Amino acid sequence: MLHQGSCHCGQIAFEVEGDFNEGLDCNCSMCRRRGGLLAFVPADAFKLKTPESGVSTYNFNTRRLHHHFCSTCGIAPYSEGQGPDGKEMRCINLRCIPAIDLDALKITKWDGASH
């Protein structure tokens, strides 16, 4: 299923293909603070619909994930990096896709603080 998502102000808008039935609730230092609910998809399932000039990036710790956020509203709708298999992937903040019923998702806790 194709989903439309964005940051709060719409400066970052995207499409992502996937059937999202569960979300990952990570407790790393970043996710704890921003409150994201995450799902991973292959890079080719994601399409940025707005210019990259509106995207700011924050890297921390191992710098393997590029955490993208809006320089206007501050919302972080996605990250990009490589999966454990070395393939390019995107990490989507499911809270940035209005059509997803967050209450219907199976939430998996992940202890990112210990990794």
Side-chain angles (χ1 to χ4, degrees), residues 11-71:
Q11 183 167 281
I12 299 174
F14 62 90
E15 291 180 343
V16 62
E17 182 74 34
D19 293 322
F20 301 108
N21 300 313
E22 62 183 282
L24 183 68
D25 181 11
C26 176
N27 73 345
C28 77
S29 60
M30 178 121 160
C31 292
R32 264 186 73 228
R33 287 168 175 82
R34 74 177 179 187
L37 189 56
L38 312 175
F40 294 85
V41 298
D44 62 1
F46 178 88
K47 182 178 180 185
L48 187 62
K49 302 292 287 181
T50 49
E52 287 186 21
S53 61
V55 176
S56 293
T57 302
Y58 178 68
N59 296 312
F60 74 106
N61 196 11
T62 64
R63 293 173 169 62
R64 292 188 334 209
L65 278 178
H66 306 288
H67 302 277
H68 300 304
F69 65 96
C70 176
S71 59

Short mmCIF file of all heavy atoms in Angstrom, two decimals, residues 11-71:
data_model
loop_
_atom_site.label_atom_id
_atom_site.label_comp_id
_atom_site.label_asym_id
_atom_site.label_seq_id
_atom_site.Cartn_x
_atom_site.Cartn_y
_atom_site.Cartn_z
N GLN A 11 7.09 20.88 4.61
CA GLN A 11 8.31 21.16 3.85
C GLN A 11 9.01 19.87 3.41
O GLN A 11 9.67 19.84 2.39
CB GLN A 11 9.27 22.02 4.68
CG GLN A 11 10.51 22.41 3.93
CD GLN A 11 11.29 23.50 4.61
OE1 GLN A 11 10.93 24.66 4.51
NE2 GLN A 11 12.33 23.11 5.33
N ILE A 12 8.85 18.80 4.21
CA ILE A 12 9.34 17.48 3.84
C ILE A 12 8.12 16.59 3.65
O ILE A 12 7.37 16.34 4.58
CB ILE A 12 10.25 16.87 4.92
CG1 ILE A 12 11.48 17.73 5.15
CG2 ILE A 12 10.65 15.45 4.54
CD1 ILE A 12 12.35 17.27 6.30
N ALA A 13 7.91 16.14 2.41
CA ALA A 13 6.80 15.23 2.10
C ALA A 13 7.38 14.02 1.39
O ALA A 13 8.36 14.12 0.65
CB ALA A 13 5.76 15.92 1.24
N PHE A 14 6.75 12.87 1.62
CA PHE A 14 7.26 11.63 1.04
C PHE A 14 6.14 10.66 0.76
O PHE A 14 5.02 10.80 1.25
CB PHE A 14 8.31 10.99 1.96
CG PHE A 14 7.77 10.57 3.31
CD1 PHE A 14 7.23 9.30 3.51
CD2 PHE A 14 7.79 11.44 4.39
CE1 PHE A 14 6.73 8.92 4.75
CE2 PHE A 14 7.31 11.07 5.62
CZ PHE A 14 6.78 9.80 5.81
N GLU A 15 6.47 9.65 -0.06
CA GLU A 15 5.62 8.49 -0.28
C GLU A 15 6.42 7.28 0.17
O GLU A 15 7.64 7.23 -0.01
CB GLU A 15 5.31 8.30 -1.76
CG GLU A 15 4.41 9.33 -2.35
CD GLU A 15 4.14 9.08 -3.83
OE1 GLU A 15 4.89 8.31 -4.48
OE2 GLU A 15 3.19 9.68 -4.33
N VAL A 16 5.73 6.33 0.75
CA VAL A 16 6.39 5.09 1.15
C VAL A 16 5.44 3.92 0.89
O VAL A 16 4.25 4.01 1.17
CB VAL A 16 6.86 5.13 2.62
CG1 VAL A 16 5.71 5.28 3.60
CG2 VAL A 16 7.72 3.93 2.96
N GLU A 17 6.00 2.88 0.31
CA GLU A 17 5.24 1.67 0.01
C GLU A 17 5.46 0.68 1.13
O GLU A 17 6.59 0.38 1.51
CB GLU A 17 5.73 1.08 -1.32
CG GLU A 17 4.99 -0.15 -1.75
CD GLU A 17 3.60 0.15 -2.28
OE1 GLU A 17 3.39 1.20 -2.90
OE2 GLU A 17 2.71 -0.70 -2.07
N GLY A 18 4.36 0.16 1.70
CA GLY A 18 4.49 -0.85 2.74
C GLY A 18 3.18 -1.11 3.44
O GLY A 18 2.26 -0.29 3.39
N ASP A 19 3.10 -2.25 4.06
CA ASP A 19 1.97 -2.60 4.91
C ASP A 19 2.47 -2.52 6.33
O ASP A 19 3.22 -3.40 6.78
CB ASP A 19 1.46 -4.01 4.59
CG ASP A 19 0.85 -4.09 3.20
OD1 ASP A 19 0.18 -3.12 2.81
OD2 ASP A 19 1.07 -5.10 2.52
N PHE A 20 2.11 -1.48 7.02
CA PHE A 20 2.64 -1.23 8.35
C PHE A 20 1.66 -1.72 9.41
O PHE A 20 0.62 -1.13 9.64
CB PHE A 20 2.95 0.26 8.51
CG PHE A 20 3.95 0.76 7.51
CD1 PHE A 20 3.56 1.59 6.47
CD2 PHE A 20 5.27 0.35 7.59
CE1 PHE A 20 4.48 2.03 5.54
CE2 PHE A 20 6.20 0.79 6.66
CZ PHE A 20 5.81 1.63 5.64
N ASN A 21 2.03 -2.85 10.03
CA ASN A 21 1.22 -3.44 11.08
C ASN A 21 1.88 -3.32 12.45
O ASN A 21 1.24 -3.59 13.45
CB ASN A 21 0.98 -4.93 10.78
CG ASN A 21 0.26 -5.11 9.46
OD1 ASN A 21 -0.73 -4.43 9.21
ND2 ASN A 21 0.75 -6.00 8.62
N GLU A 22 3.17 -2.98 12.44
CA GLU A 22 3.85 -2.81 13.72
C GLU A 22 4.86 -1.69 13.63
O GLU A 22 5.30 -1.29 12.56
CB GLU A 22 4.52 -4.10 14.17
CG GLU A 22 5.58 -4.66 13.27
CD GLU A 22 6.11 -5.99 13.82
OE1 GLU A 22 6.93 -5.96 14.75
OE2 GLU A 22 5.69 -7.03 13.29
N GLY A 23 5.17 -1.14 14.78
CA GLY A 23 6.13 -0.06 14.89
C GLY A 23 7.14 -0.37 15.97
O GLY A 23 6.84 -1.09 16.93
N LEU A 24 8.32 0.16 15.81
CA LEU A 24 9.40 -0.05 16.75
C LEU A 24 9.52 1.17 17.65
O LEU A 24 9.69 2.29 17.16
CB LEU A 24 10.71 -0.27 15.99
CG LEU A 24 11.94 -0.57 16.80
CD1 LEU A 24 11.83 -1.95 17.45
CD2 LEU A 24 13.16 -0.53 15.90
N ASP A 25 9.41 0.95 18.94
CA ASP A 25 9.55 2.01 19.93
C ASP A 25 10.95 1.89 20.53
O ASP A 25 11.19 1.06 21.40
CB ASP A 25 8.47 1.87 21.00
CG ASP A 25 8.53 2.95 22.06
OD1 ASP A 25 9.26 3.93 21.89
OD2 ASP A 25 7.83 2.80 23.10
N CYS A 26 11.87 2.69 20.02
CA CYS A 26 13.27 2.63 20.43
C CYS A 26 13.52 3.58 21.60
O CYS A 26 12.93 4.65 21.67
CB CYS A 26 14.15 3.02 19.23
SG CYS A 26 15.91 3.11 19.59
N ASN A 27 14.42 3.19 22.50
CA ASN A 27 14.73 4.05 23.64
C ASN A 27 16.15 4.62 23.58
O ASN A 27 16.70 5.00 24.60
CB ASN A 27 14.49 3.30 24.96
CG ASN A 27 15.57 2.26 25.23
OD1 ASN A 27 16.34 1.89 24.35
ND2 ASN A 27 15.62 1.79 26.46
N CYS A 28 16.75 4.68 22.38
CA CYS A 28 18.08 5.31 22.30
C CYS A 28 17.94 6.78 22.70
O CYS A 28 16.83 7.30 22.81
CB CYS A 28 18.67 5.16 20.89
SG CYS A 28 17.99 6.29 19.66
N SER A 29 19.04 7.44 22.92
CA SER A 29 19.00 8.82 23.41
C SER A 29 18.23 9.75 22.48
O SER A 29 17.59 10.70 22.93
CB SER A 29 20.43 9.34 23.62
OG SER A 29 21.15 9.32 22.41
N MET A 30 18.25 9.48 21.20
CA MET A 30 17.53 10.32 20.24
C MET A 30 16.03 10.00 20.21
O MET A 30 15.19 10.88 20.33
CB MET A 30 18.12 10.13 18.85
CG MET A 30 17.43 10.92 17.81
SD MET A 30 18.60 11.99 17.07
CE MET A 30 17.75 12.35 15.58
N CYS A 31 15.71 8.73 20.03
CA CYS A 31 14.29 8.33 19.93
C CYS A 31 13.51 8.64 21.20
O CYS A 31 12.34 9.00 21.14
CB CYS A 31 14.18 6.86 19.58
SG CYS A 31 14.75 6.46 17.91
N ARG A 32 14.15 8.48 22.34
CA ARG A 32 13.48 8.81 23.60
C ARG A 32 13.00 10.25 23.60
O ARG A 32 11.91 10.57 24.05
CB ARG A 32 14.45 8.63 24.78
CG ARG A 32 14.34 7.32 25.48
CD ARG A 32 15.23 7.28 26.71
NE ARG A 32 14.65 8.10 27.76
CZ ARG A 32 15.34 9.00 28.47
NH1 ARG A 32 16.61 9.20 28.26
NH2 ARG A 32 14.75 9.68 29.41
N ARG A 33 13.83 11.12 23.10
CA ARG A 33 13.51 12.55 23.12
C ARG A 33 12.52 12.97 22.04
O ARG A 33 11.69 13.83 22.26
CB ARG A 33 14.80 13.36 22.99
CG ARG A 33 15.62 13.33 24.27
CD ARG A 33 17.02 13.89 24.04
NE ARG A 33 17.78 13.96 25.27
CZ ARG A 33 18.43 12.95 25.82
NH1 ARG A 33 18.40 11.75 25.26
NH2 ARG A 33 19.10 13.11 26.94
N ARG A 34 12.61 12.35 20.87
CA ARG A 34 11.74 12.80 19.79
C ARG A 34 10.43 12.02 19.70
O ARG A 34 9.51 12.44 19.01
CB ARG A 34 12.46 12.79 18.45
CG ARG A 34 12.70 11.44 17.86
CD ARG A 34 13.34 11.55 16.51
NE ARG A 34 13.58 10.22 15.99
CZ ARG A 34 14.24 9.97 14.91
NH1 ARG A 34 14.74 10.97 14.23
NH2 ARG A 34 14.41 8.75 14.50
N GLY A 35 10.36 10.86 20.33
CA GLY A 35 9.11 10.11 20.38
C GLY A 35 8.69 9.46 19.07
O GLY A 35 7.51 9.30 18.82
N GLY A 36 9.65 9.09 18.25
CA GLY A 36 9.31 8.46 16.98
C GLY A 36 8.80 7.03 17.17
O GLY A 36 9.09 6.37 18.16
N LEU A 37 8.03 6.59 16.23
CA LEU A 37 7.55 5.21 16.16
C LEU A 37 8.01 4.71 14.79
O LEU A 37 7.57 5.21 13.76
CB LEU A 37 6.03 5.18 16.28
CG LEU A 37 5.38 3.82 16.44
CD1 LEU A 37 5.94 3.08 17.66
CD2 LEU A 37 3.88 4.00 16.59
N LEU A 38 8.93 3.76 14.76
CA LEU A 38 9.72 3.49 13.57
C LEU A 38 9.33 2.23 12.81
O LEU A 38 8.88 1.26 13.40
CB LEU A 38 11.20 3.37 13.98
CG LEU A 38 11.72 4.49 14.87
CD1 LEU A 38 13.15 4.20 15.29
CD2 LEU A 38 11.60 5.83 14.19
N ALA A 39 9.55 2.27 11.50
CA ALA A 39 9.43 1.10 10.62
C ALA A 39 10.51 1.23 9.56
O ALA A 39 10.79 2.33 9.08
CB ALA A 39 8.05 1.05 9.98
N PHE A 40 11.10 0.11 9.20
CA PHE A 40 12.19 0.09 8.22
C PHE A 40 11.69 -0.45 6.89
O PHE A 40 10.94 -1.43 6.86
CB PHE A 40 13.34 -0.76 8.74
CG PHE A 40 13.99 -0.17 9.96
CD1 PHE A 40 13.46 -0.40 11.23
CD2 PHE A 40 15.10 0.64 9.84
CE1 PHE A 40 14.05 0.15 12.36
CE2 PHE A 40 15.69 1.20 10.97
CZ PHE A 40 15.16 0.96 12.23
N VAL A 41 12.12 0.19 5.81
CA VAL A 41 11.75 -0.24 4.46
C VAL A 41 12.98 -0.17 3.56
O VAL A 41 13.91 0.59 3.83
CB VAL A 41 10.63 0.65 3.86
CG1 VAL A 41 9.35 0.57 4.69
CG2 VAL A 41 11.07 2.08 3.68
N PRO A 42 12.98 -0.95 2.47
CA PRO A 42 14.07 -0.82 1.49
C PRO A 42 14.07 0.60 0.91
O PRO A 42 13.00 1.23 0.79
CB PRO A 42 13.73 -1.84 0.42
CG PRO A 42 12.72 -2.75 1.03
CD PRO A 42 12.02 -1.98 2.09
N ALA A 43 15.22 1.09 0.52
CA ALA A 43 15.33 2.46 -0.01
C ALA A 43 14.42 2.69 -1.21
O ALA A 43 13.84 3.78 -1.35
CB ALA A 43 16.78 2.75 -0.39
N ASP A 44 14.23 1.68 -2.05
CA ASP A 44 13.40 1.88 -3.24
C ASP A 44 11.90 1.92 -2.94
O ASP A 44 11.09 2.20 -3.82
CB ASP A 44 13.71 0.87 -4.33
CG ASP A 44 13.45 -0.58 -3.92
OD1 ASP A 44 12.99 -0.83 -2.79
OD2 ASP A 44 13.71 -1.47 -4.75
N ALA A 45 11.51 1.69 -1.69
CA ALA A 45 10.10 1.80 -1.29
C ALA A 45 9.77 3.22 -0.82
O ALA A 45 8.62 3.51 -0.48
CB ALA A 45 9.78 0.80 -0.18
N PHE A 46 10.76 4.08 -0.79
CA PHE A 46 10.62 5.45 -0.28
C PHE A 46 10.91 6.45 -1.39
O PHE A 46 11.86 6.29 -2.15
CB PHE A 46 11.61 5.67 0.86
CG PHE A 46 11.60 7.06 1.44
CD1 PHE A 46 10.74 7.38 2.46
CD2 PHE A 46 12.46 8.03 0.95
CE1 PHE A 46 10.73 8.67 2.99
CE2 PHE A 46 12.46 9.30 1.48
CZ PHE A 46 11.60 9.63 2.50
N LYS A 47 10.08 7.50 -1.47
CA LYS A 47 10.32 8.56 -2.44
C LYS A 47 10.08 9.91 -1.78
O LYS A 47 8.98 10.19 -1.31
CB LYS A 47 9.41 8.41 -3.65
CG LYS A 47 9.65 9.47 -4.71
CD LYS A 47 8.77 9.27 -5.91
CE LYS A 47 9.06 10.35 -6.94
NZ LYS A 47 8.15 10.26 -8.08
N LEU A 48 11.12 10.73 -1.75
CA LEU A 48 11.00 12.09 -1.25
C LEU A 48 10.27 12.92 -2.30
O LEU A 48 10.65 12.91 -3.48
CB LEU A 48 12.39 12.67 -0.97
CG LEU A 48 12.44 14.02 -0.29
CD1 LEU A 48 11.80 13.96 1.10
CD2 LEU A 48 13.89 14.49 -0.17
N LYS A 49 9.20 13.60 -1.92
CA LYS A 49 8.36 14.34 -2.87
C LYS A 49 8.68 15.84 -2.91
O LYS A 49 8.15 16.57 -3.73
CB LYS A 49 6.89 14.16 -2.52
CG LYS A 49 6.41 12.72 -2.50
CD LYS A 49 6.40 12.11 -3.86
CE LYS A 49 5.25 12.69 -4.65
NZ LYS A 49 5.13 12.14 -5.99
N THR A 50 9.51 16.30 -2.01
CA THR A 50 9.86 17.71 -1.92
C THR A 50 11.37 17.85 -2.11
O THR A 50 12.12 16.88 -1.96
CB THR A 50 9.42 18.27 -0.56
OG1 THR A 50 9.87 17.40 0.48
CG2 THR A 50 7.90 18.39 -0.47
N PRO A 51 11.86 19.05 -2.39
CA PRO A 51 13.30 19.23 -2.60
C PRO A 51 14.13 18.88 -1.37
O PRO A 51 13.72 19.15 -0.24
CB PRO A 51 13.42 20.72 -2.93
CG PRO A 51 12.06 21.16 -3.37
CD PRO A 51 11.10 20.29 -2.62
N GLU A 52 15.28 18.30 -1.62
CA GLU A 52 16.19 17.96 -0.52
C GLU A 52 16.69 19.19 0.22
O GLU A 52 17.17 19.08 1.34
CB GLU A 52 17.37 17.14 -1.04
CG GLU A 52 16.99 15.72 -1.40
CD GLU A 52 18.19 14.88 -1.77
OE1 GLU A 52 19.33 15.23 -1.39
OE2 GLU A 52 17.98 13.86 -2.44
N SER A 53 16.56 20.36 -0.38
CA SER A 53 17.03 21.59 0.26
C SER A 53 16.28 21.89 1.56
O SER A 53 16.79 22.62 2.41
CB SER A 53 16.90 22.77 -0.69
OG SER A 53 15.54 22.97 -1.07
N GLY A 54 15.08 21.33 1.74
CA GLY A 54 14.32 21.53 2.97
C GLY A 54 14.65 20.53 4.06
O GLY A 54 14.10 20.59 5.15
N VAL A 55 15.57 19.62 3.77
CA VAL A 55 15.92 18.55 4.70
C VAL A 55 17.21 18.89 5.43
O VAL A 55 18.22 19.19 4.79
CB VAL A 55 16.08 17.20 3.96
CG1 VAL A 55 16.54 16.11 4.89
CG2 VAL A 55 14.78 16.82 3.26
N SER A 56 17.18 18.86 6.75
CA SER A 56 18.39 18.99 7.55
C SER A 56 18.73 17.61 8.09
O SER A 56 17.86 16.74 8.21
CB SER A 56 18.17 19.95 8.72
OG SER A 56 17.97 21.26 8.23
N THR A 57 19.99 17.39 8.43
CA THR A 57 20.44 16.06 8.84
C THR A 57 21.24 16.14 10.13
O THR A 57 22.04 17.07 10.31
CB THR A 57 21.31 15.43 7.74
OG1 THR A 57 20.54 15.37 6.54
CG2 THR A 57 21.75 14.03 8.12
N TYR A 58 21.01 15.17 10.99
CA TYR A 58 21.75 15.05 12.24
C TYR A 58 22.33 13.63 12.31
O TYR A 58 21.61 12.66 12.12
CB TYR A 58 20.83 15.30 13.43
CG TYR A 58 21.51 15.15 14.77
CD1 TYR A 58 22.48 16.05 15.17
CD2 TYR A 58 21.18 14.11 15.62
CE1 TYR A 58 23.11 15.91 16.39
CE2 TYR A 58 21.80 13.97 16.85
CZ TYR A 58 22.77 14.87 17.23
OH TYR A 58 23.39 14.74 18.43
N ASN A 59 23.62 13.54 12.56
CA ASN A 59 24.29 12.25 12.74
C ASN A 59 24.89 12.21 14.14
O ASN A 59 25.45 13.21 14.59
CB ASN A 59 25.41 12.07 11.71
CG ASN A 59 24.89 12.02 10.30
OD1 ASN A 59 23.95 11.32 10.02
ND2 ASN A 59 25.49 12.78 9.42
N PHE A 60 24.78 11.08 14.80
CA PHE A 60 25.38 10.95 16.12
C PHE A 60 25.85 9.52 16.32
O PHE A 60 25.63 8.65 15.46
CB PHE A 60 24.40 11.36 17.22
CG PHE A 60 23.30 10.39 17.51
CD1 PHE A 60 23.32 9.61 18.66
CD2 PHE A 60 22.22 10.25 16.65
CE1 PHE A 60 22.31 8.71 18.93
CE2 PHE A 60 21.20 9.35 16.92
CZ PHE A 60 21.24 8.58 18.06
N ASN A 61 26.51 9.26 17.40
CA ASN A 61 27.00 7.95 17.78
C ASN A 61 27.83 7.35 16.65
O ASN A 61 28.88 7.89 16.31
CB ASN A 61 25.85 7.06 18.22
CG ASN A 61 26.30 5.83 18.99
OD1 ASN A 61 27.46 5.72 19.38
ND2 ASN A 61 25.41 4.90 19.21
N THR A 62 27.39 6.25 16.03
CA THR A 62 28.18 5.59 14.98
C THR A 62 28.06 6.30 13.64
O THR A 62 28.79 5.95 12.71
CB THR A 62 27.73 4.12 14.79
OG1 THR A 62 26.37 4.12 14.34
CG2 THR A 62 27.86 3.33 16.08
N ARG A 63 27.16 7.24 13.52
CA ARG A 63 26.93 8.01 12.30
C ARG A 63 26.54 7.14 11.10
O ARG A 63 26.72 7.52 9.95
CB ARG A 63 28.14 8.88 11.98
CG ARG A 63 28.34 9.96 12.99
CD ARG A 63 29.62 10.73 12.78
NE ARG A 63 29.73 11.94 13.57
CZ ARG A 63 29.74 12.04 14.89
NH1 ARG A 63 29.60 10.97 15.62
NH2 ARG A 63 29.86 13.19 15.50
N ARG A 64 26.00 5.97 11.37
CA ARG A 64 25.57 5.08 10.29
C ARG A 64 24.18 5.43 9.78
O ARG A 64 23.84 5.11 8.66
CB ARG A 64 25.61 3.62 10.76
CG ARG A 64 27.02 3.14 10.98
CD ARG A 64 27.11 1.67 11.24
NE ARG A 64 25.92 1.09 11.81
CZ ARG A 64 25.90 0.04 12.59
NH1 ARG A 64 27.02 -0.56 12.91
NH2 ARG A 64 24.78 -0.43 13.07
N LEU A 65 23.38 6.05 10.63
CA LEU A 65 22.05 6.51 10.20
C LEU A 65 22.09 8.02 10.05
O LEU A 65 22.66 8.73 10.88
CB LEU A 65 20.99 6.16 11.24
CG LEU A 65 20.41 4.77 11.21
CD1 LEU A 65 19.41 4.59 12.33
CD2 LEU A 65 19.75 4.47 9.87
N HIS A 66 21.49 8.50 8.97
CA HIS A 66 21.38 9.93 8.73
C HIS A 66 19.95 10.32 9.10
O HIS A 66 19.01 9.98 8.38
CB HIS A 66 21.70 10.26 7.28
CG HIS A 66 23.03 9.71 6.86
ND1 HIS A 66 24.22 10.25 7.29
CD2 HIS A 66 23.35 8.65 6.09
CE1 HIS A 66 25.22 9.56 6.78
NE2 HIS A 66 24.71 8.57 6.06
N HIS A 67 19.81 10.98 10.23
CA HIS A 67 18.50 11.34 10.77
C HIS A 67 18.09 12.67 10.14
O HIS A 67 18.71 13.70 10.38
CB HIS A 67 18.56 11.46 12.29
CG HIS A 67 19.02 10.21 12.95
ND1 HIS A 67 18.17 9.16 13.22
CD2 HIS A 67 20.24 9.83 13.38
CE1 HIS A 67 18.84 8.19 13.80
NE2 HIS A 67 20.11 8.56 13.91
N HIS A 68 17.03 12.64 9.34
CA HIS A 68 16.59 13.83 8.62
C HIS A 68 15.42 14.48 9.34
O HIS A 68 14.51 13.80 9.82
CB HIS A 68 16.20 13.47 7.19
CG HIS A 68 17.33 12.88 6.41
ND1 HIS A 68 18.54 13.51 6.24
CD2 HIS A 68 17.44 11.71 5.76
CE1 HIS A 68 19.34 12.77 5.52
NE2 HIS A 68 18.70 11.66 5.21
N PHE A 69 15.46 15.81 9.38
CA PHE A 69 14.40 16.56 10.04
C PHE A 69 14.17 17.86 9.28
O PHE A 69 15.00 18.29 8.47
CB PHE A 69 14.75 16.83 11.50
CG PHE A 69 15.94 17.73 11.70
CD1 PHE A 69 15.79 19.08 11.91
CD2 PHE A 69 17.23 17.20 11.67
CE1 PHE A 69 16.89 19.91 12.08
CE2 PHE A 69 18.33 18.01 11.85
CZ PHE A 69 18.17 19.36 12.05
N CYS A 70 13.05 18.48 9.55
CA CYS A 70 12.67 19.73 8.90
C CYS A 70 13.31 20.91 9.62
O CYS A 70 13.18 21.03 10.84
CB CYS A 70 11.15 19.87 8.90
SG CYS A 70 10.58 21.43 8.20
N SER A 71 13.96 21.77 8.86
CA SER A 71 14.60 22.95 9.47
C SER A 71 13.57 24.01 9.88
O SER A 71 13.90 24.92 10.61
CB SER A 71 15.62 23.55 8.50
OG SER A 71 14.98 23.93 7.30
#
